[in-house]
Amino acid sequence: MKELPQKLPVHLGIIMDGNGRWAKKRGLPRSAGHAAGAQNFRKITRYCSQIGIRYLTVYAFSTENWTRPQEEVSALMRLFRQYLEEALRDFRDDDIVVRFLGDVSAFSAPLRELITETQELSANRSGMVLNIAMNYGGRAELTHAFQVLARRVQEGSLRPEDITEERISSALYTAGQPDPDLIIRPSGEHRTSNFLLWQSAYAEYVIMDILWPDFRPADLDAALREYANRSRRFGGI
Ligand code: IPE
Ligand code: IPE
Ligand code: MG
């Protein structure tokens, strides 16, 4: 087994994509792909926490995913409930802090309760921070942040010239967290699909031709090695 590199990303983002194609290849309904993807989310999350990733953000459901057929959206909502219940148990053993990025008010009352419970029960842990991006879109997040800041200007507690990059960052769902260093997109698509638009200004992207349910810890190791070999210049030389 190859060793993990010394230079690990502090904040890792994963776009969990390819569930539908995984199911199609097997002649299964798309919901079976989402179930397999959800299992893998559990496995890869625990692996990230074990190897010392400090922040992991997974993209689980975008603001645009509501446009999918009703049947698929319902299957995803059922899976979220099931997996959050399981996550409540196994992420406790791993000391994982669970946070949600996105507008969770759009979800059903039982799912919202689980989200609140998951966040509250894990808030005082000290291990890896897991951000689950659900009903998340980078543009929606920025729009929300600008509304918050505009309200403060209107109230007179903030001057327009005091709207800095730091204040915008602090008005995002990821407030207080470092920007992602590495974003992995399995399934081979070369696009952001509205993921962490502001925060990923200098993130390294690794696109992999593996569908998310097939993505193994060894694939993550390979992406981490690729990341460790990149030269990050942040506009400098
Ligand atoms: C990712 O897999 C899961 C969600 C977007 C909810 P997809 O469902 O997008 O799978 P593909 O891209 O169609 O294969
Ligand atoms: C991005 O995948 C969203 C998630 C993985 C949750 P999509 O499958 O929705 O993205 P597009 O439609 O291929 O851009
Ligand atoms: Mg997709």
Coordinates of all heavy atoms in Angstrom, one line a residue, residues 16-21 30 34 60-61 65 68 72 76, ligand 1:
M16 N -20.3 14.6 -4.7 CA -20.7 13.1 -4.8 C -21.6 12.8 -6.0 O -22.8 12.7 -5.9 CB -21.4 12.7 -3.5 CG -20.6 13.0 -2.2 SD -21.3 12.3 -0.7 CE -22.8 13.3 -0.5
D17 N -20.9 12.7 -7.1 CA -21.7 12.6 -8.4 C -21.5 11.3 -9.1 O -20.5 10.7 -9.0 CB -21.2 13.8 -9.3 CG -22.1 14.0 -10.5 OD1 -23.3 13.6 -10.4 OD2 -21.7 14.6 -11.5
G18 N -22.5 10.9 -9.8 CA -22.4 9.7 -10.6 C -23.3 8.5 -10.1 O -23.2 7.4 -10.7
N19 N -24.2 8.8 -9.2 CA -25.0 7.7 -8.6 C -26.0 7.2 -9.7 O -26.2 6.0 -9.8 CB -25.9 8.3 -7.5 CG -25.1 8.7 -6.3 OD1 -23.9 8.4 -6.2 ND2 -25.7 9.4 -5.4
G20 N -26.5 8.1 -10.5 CA -27.5 7.7 -11.5 C -26.9 6.8 -12.6 O -27.4 5.7 -12.9
R21 N -25.7 7.2 -13.0 CA -25.0 6.4 -14.1 C -24.6 5.0 -13.5 O -24.6 4.0 -14.2 CB -23.8 7.2 -14.6 CG -24.2 8.2 -15.6 CD -23.1 9.2 -15.9 NE -23.1 10.2 -14.8 CZ -22.2 11.2 -14.7 NH1 -21.2 11.2 -15.5 NH2 -22.3 12.1 -13.7
R30 N -32.5 4.6 -10.5 CA -31.6 5.6 -10.0 C -31.5 5.7 -8.5 O -30.5 6.0 -7.9 CB -32.0 7.0 -10.6 CG -31.7 7.1 -12.1 CD -32.2 8.5 -12.6 NE -31.4 9.6 -11.9 CZ -30.2 10.1 -12.4 NH1 -29.7 9.6 -13.5 NH2 -29.6 11.0 -11.7
H34 N -28.5 6.1 -5.6 CA -28.4 7.0 -4.5 C -28.2 6.3 -3.2 O -27.5 6.7 -2.3 CB -29.7 7.9 -4.4 CG -29.8 8.8 -5.6 ND1 -28.8 9.6 -6.0 CD2 -30.9 9.0 -6.4 CE1 -29.2 10.3 -7.1 NE2 -30.5 9.9 -7.4
A60 N -24.4 17.1 -1.4 CA -25.4 16.0 -1.4 C -26.6 16.3 -2.2 O -27.2 15.4 -2.8 CB -25.8 15.7 0.1
F61 N -27.0 17.6 -2.3 CA -28.2 17.9 -3.0 C -28.1 19.4 -3.3 O -28.0 20.2 -2.4 CB -29.4 17.6 -2.1 CG -30.8 17.7 -2.9 CD1 -31.2 16.6 -3.6 CD2 -31.5 18.9 -2.8 CE1 -32.4 16.7 -4.3 CE2 -32.8 18.9 -3.5 CZ -33.2 17.8 -4.2
N65 N -31.2 20.5 -8.0 CA -31.7 19.1 -8.0 C -33.2 18.9 -7.8 O -33.7 17.8 -8.1 CB -30.9 18.2 -7.0 CG -29.4 18.0 -7.4 OD1 -28.5 17.8 -6.6 ND2 -29.2 17.9 -8.7
R68 N -35.5 17.6 -10.7 CA -35.5 16.1 -11.1 C -36.9 15.6 -10.9 O -37.7 16.2 -10.2 CB -34.5 15.3 -10.3 CG -33.1 15.8 -10.6 CD -32.1 14.9 -9.9 NE -30.7 15.3 -10.3 CZ -29.6 14.6 -10.2 NH1 -29.7 13.4 -9.6 NH2 -28.5 15.0 -10.5
E72 N -37.7 10.7 -7.9 CA -36.3 10.7 -7.5 C -36.0 11.6 -6.3 O -35.3 11.2 -5.4 CB -35.4 11.1 -8.7 CG -33.9 11.1 -8.4 CD -33.0 11.2 -9.5 OE1 -33.4 11.0 -10.7 OE2 -31.8 11.4 -9.3
L76 N -34.6 10.5 -2.6 CA -33.5 11.2 -2.0 C -33.8 11.7 -0.6 O -33.0 11.5 0.3 CB -33.0 12.3 -2.9 CG -32.1 11.9 -4.1 CD1 -32.0 13.0 -5.1 CD2 -30.7 11.5 -3.6
Ligands
IPE1 C1 -25.3 12.6 -7.6 O1 -25.5 11.6 -8.5 C2 -26.4 12.7 -6.6 C3 -27.2 13.9 -6.6 C4 -27.0 14.9 -7.5 C5 -28.3 14.0 -5.7 P1 -26.4 11.9 -9.8 O2 -27.8 11.6 -9.5 O3 -26.2 13.3 -10.3 O4 -25.8 10.9 -10.8 P2 -25.6 11.0 -12.4 O5 -24.7 12.3 -12.5 O6 -26.9 11.2 -13.0 O7 -24.9 9.8 -12.8

